[in-house]
Amino acid sequence: MQTDCSDTQLVFEGFAGRKVVADFNGGAVTSNGGALLLREADRAIGLTAMVARCFRDGRARQDVVHTIETLVAQRVHGIALGYEDLNDHDELRHDPVLGLLSDRLAPKRANVAALAGKSTLNRLETAAETGDRRYHKISVDEAAMAQVFLRFYIAAHGKPPKRIILDLDATDDPLHGAQEGRFFHGYYRCHCYLPLYIFDGRHLLVAKLRKADIDGSAGAKEEIARVVAHIRKAWPQVEIWLRADSGFARDELMTWCEENRVEYVFGMARNKRLEAMIGGELAEAKAKFAETGKAARLFKELDYRTHDSWSRSRRVVAKAEHLERGANPRFIVTSLEACEITGQVLYENIYCQRGEMENRIKECQLDLYADRTSAASMRANQLRLWFASLACVLIEAVRRLALQGTQLAKATVSVRRIKIAIASACPARHVFALAHRRLRSASCQAVFDGGAA
């Protein structure tokens, strides 16, 4: 019987009297066309170069095949493209487009690829670990890495903003192994880490890995102090507001804010004492609901102090609301005066907007694999979290510099969902071309500004 295929040619069902055949002589092709935009955005903001300076390379120079810059770019760009596993890079290192991340046109040795494989990248990811220096030749300055995000944040603004609102939140990072620092968290009902995130809109400023056997606000004051100091050095006149849920309504953090000209709006856990203080308003809201059948809400200003955990009285805004399912009282505590902003505006227009940060965290953890913390040590897992966070910074740069005004301007960060293929029938070809022009322009301007400095 005649075969329909061979090692070199595949024969398919014919069409309109013509044979349909395929072979494997298409040459070096890639499905990672979006990597070109990532590379241009990287060059425009100087991401790889800045991050690479946070590492120390103790390898013998004559034996180095792949530089730190190449390794950093390969790992961060790989995550942005949807490849979270180091094993993926044993194939990706041969990708012709990703190969442009290499520091040289041809490999240093004839028997290696332009990019690194999983073993070399693993040595980069374990750079934060301490141990026998015979094996840990690459090390990282963790303090410098933490500051990198703030430097990108400042550089992303053409001029100092009048006011910024920083969102704080903690989330769970489930663990399925015996990683250092794993603890069972009662609320999340799993063994996990409890990373702290700080965002300003889509800009990621802090991604700090923490053990789970702590209060959700643990270390927040120190991180905010570091962030505020950096921002005020660049923008001395900027107003800084903090926004967070009730897990951060702690006297230590609020007192620090009050002493350092930082305003805050934090949620408050309700209790019987607070609910009793708005009993009349809750009854009125219930009556209005019974009359109209629609949700009813009233706001009330309170001067409130806890029995022993707060050092002073503070302004609390109460929302007395009645819904179809019953009473729904809510409370926030703030340093802002009532004469500056009313309670209803503060709650509805400012505090409720913090929910957008949860979408940013989901992007980091679900789309960019920030929860792939499977290394043995916390320090190595922190570095993994930073690599995923840098992928977030890189994709945000593509949106900000290249995609403004297009249908992809507010697209999710998952590049697996935004496939840009360079083909004549590609529906996004005009967006791709526009993005390319903008990024090339931004890259040239960055080079010019650097030379002028």
Side-chain angles (χ1 to χ4, degrees):
M1 183 174 65
Q2 185 177 5
T3 180
D4 285 339
C5 65
S6 68
D7 290 341
T8 58
Q9 189 176 77
L10 305 176
V11 179
F12 295 91
E13 184 72 24
F15 177 76
R18 294 178 175 83
K19 291 183 178 180
V20 178
V21 298
D23 55 35
F24 296 96
N25 63 0
V29 297
T30 182
S31 62
N32 295 308
L36 292 169
L37 296 186
L38 294 176
R39 180 172 176 266
E40 290 298 325
D42 190 330
R43 289 167 57 87
I45 67 175
L47 184 144
T48 293
M50 188 184 299
V51 173
R53 288 195 290 270
C54 298
F55 287 83
R56 175 189 172 275
D57 192 351
R59 297 173 295 175
R61 181 166 300 182
Q62 68 274 14
D63 296 330
V64 172
V65 177
H66 303 104
T67 66
I68 294 294
E69 284 201 24
T70 296
L71 298 178
V72 168
Q74 185 179 347
R75 188 62 176 122
V76 174
H77 289 226
I79 293 172
L81 289 166
Y83 302 107
E84 80 277 17
D85 197 330
L86 288 181
N87 293 333
D88 294 330
H89 289 270
D90 274 357
E91 294 297 330
L92 290 175
R93 60 180 170 168
H94 302 293
D95 188 288
V97 171
L98 287 177
L100 297 175
L101 300 175
S102 177
D103 62 317
R104 59 182 68 245
L105 185 62
K108 186 175 182 179
R109 297 175 186 168
N111 62 338
V112 297
L115 297 178
K118 62 183 179 183
S119 298
T120 304
L121 288 172
N122 182 64
R123 286 191 284 273
L124 176 73
E125 288 203 342
T126 57
E129 295 182 347
T130 58
D132 191 334
R133 289 300 173 189
R134 292 175 298 174
Y135 303 103
H136 293 93
K137 298 290 186 180
I138 302 173
S139 59
V140 61
D141 183 338
E142 296 178 19
M145 276 290 293
Q147 290 296 99
V148 158
F149 293 91
L150 300 181
R151 295 174 65 184
F152 286 129
Y153 171 67
I154 297 296
H157 294 75
K159 60 181 181 180
K162 180 181 178 181
R163 174 191 300 154
I164 60 174
I165 300 178
L166 304 181
D167 285 302
L168 297 81
D169 205 356
T171 190
D172 64 315
D173 176 1
L175 301 176
H176 306 287
Q179 292 94 322
E180 176 190 12
R182 70 191 292 269
F183 285 96
F184 185 84
H185 196 286
Y187 178 79
Y188 293 112
R189 301 181 66 82
C190 67
H191 287 87
C192 61
Y193 290 136
L194 196 68
L196 172 68
Y197 285 95
I198 301 178
F199 279 87
D200 173 7
R202 289 185 176 271
H203 296 285
L204 175 57
L205 284 73
V206 172
K208 183 176 179 61
L209 199 66
R210 305 177 300 174
K211 297 179 181 179
D213 61 335
I214 58 171
D215 182 80
S217 67
K221 185 191 77 171
E222 291 74 17
E223 287 300 307
I224 285 297
R226 179 177 66 85
V227 168
V228 168
H230 189 99
I231 291 174
R232 282 193 171 146
K233 184 176 180 180
W235 305 328
Q237 305 303 319
V238 69
E239 293 180 34
I240 302 177
W241 292 12
L242 301 188
R243 181 169 56 189
D245 64 20
S246 60
F248 293 86
R250 302 293 186 261
D251 189 71
E252 180 185 32
L253 180 56
M254 292 188 289
T255 298
W256 184 91
C257 290
E258 291 155 359
E259 294 174 348
N260 289 275
R261 298 182 295 110
V262 175
E263 308 293 353
Y264 59 83
V265 184
F266 296 153
M268 279 191 67
R270 60 189 185 187
N271 56 53
K272 291 182 179 180
R273 184 171 159 220
L274 281 169
E275 290 180 10
M277 296 173 74
I278 59 169
E281 287 72 19
L282 285 171
E284 184 178 348
K286 183 178 181 179
K288 287 186 176 181
F289 176 82
E291 180 182 346
T292 65
K294 298 180 180 179
R297 61 170 57 175
L298 295 91
F299 289 87
K300 184 177 182 179
E301 298 281 345
L302 305 175
D303 184 38
Y304 181 78
R305 179 176 180 176
T306 62
H307 287 308
D308 52 18
S309 60
W310 287 7
S311 58
R312 50 162 291 185
S313 295
R314 294 184 167 96
R315 179 192 178 195
V316 170
V317 175
K319 180 188 73 168
E321 183 177 50
H322 197 92
L323 307 173
E324 185 175 355
R325 64 176 182 270
N328 182 44
R330 289 290 186 268
F331 305 89
I332 58 174
V333 58
T334 182
S335 60
L336 293 161
E337 299 291 340
C339 60
E340 299 178 78
I341 185 169
T342 66
Q344 183 171 357
V345 171
L346 184 64
Y347 186 92
E348 295 179 339
N349 295 356
I350 303 297
Y351 179 73
C352 287
Q353 303 309 311
R354 64 165 297 278
E356 182 62 20
M357 183 195 183
E358 296 179 4
N359 293 330
R360 306 285 78 76
I361 293 177
K362 288 178 181 177
E363 286 180 347
C364 285
Q365 295 201 249
L366 301 181
D367 295 334
L368 294 173
Y369 316 105
D371 60 352
R372 302 302 199 269
T373 46
S374 58
S377 73
M378 280 200 71
R379 297 180 70 180
N381 283 324
Q382 173 66 80
L383 190 51
R384 282 192 170 191
L385 175 58
W386 276 332
F387 283 147
S389 300
L390 288 166
C392 178
V393 172
L394 181 58
I395 292 182
E396 175 54 28
V398 173
R399 282 190 296 223
R400 173 170 49 85
L401 297 175
L403 300 177
Q404 288 298 319
T406 75
Q407 63 265 39
L408 300 182
K410 295 183 179 180
T412 181
V413 298
S414 174
V415 181
R416 283 190 180 276
R417 299 179 190 172
I418 308 172
K419 275 293 183 185
I420 303 177
I422 303 178
S424 58
C426 176
R429 61 187 183 275
H430 300 303
V431 174
F432 192 99
L434 175 62
H436 172 261
R437 289 196 299 272
R438 289 178 175 177
L439 286 169
R440 291 294 295 171
S441 177
S443 181
C444 292
Q445 185 62 43
V447 171
F448 176 80
D449 292 343

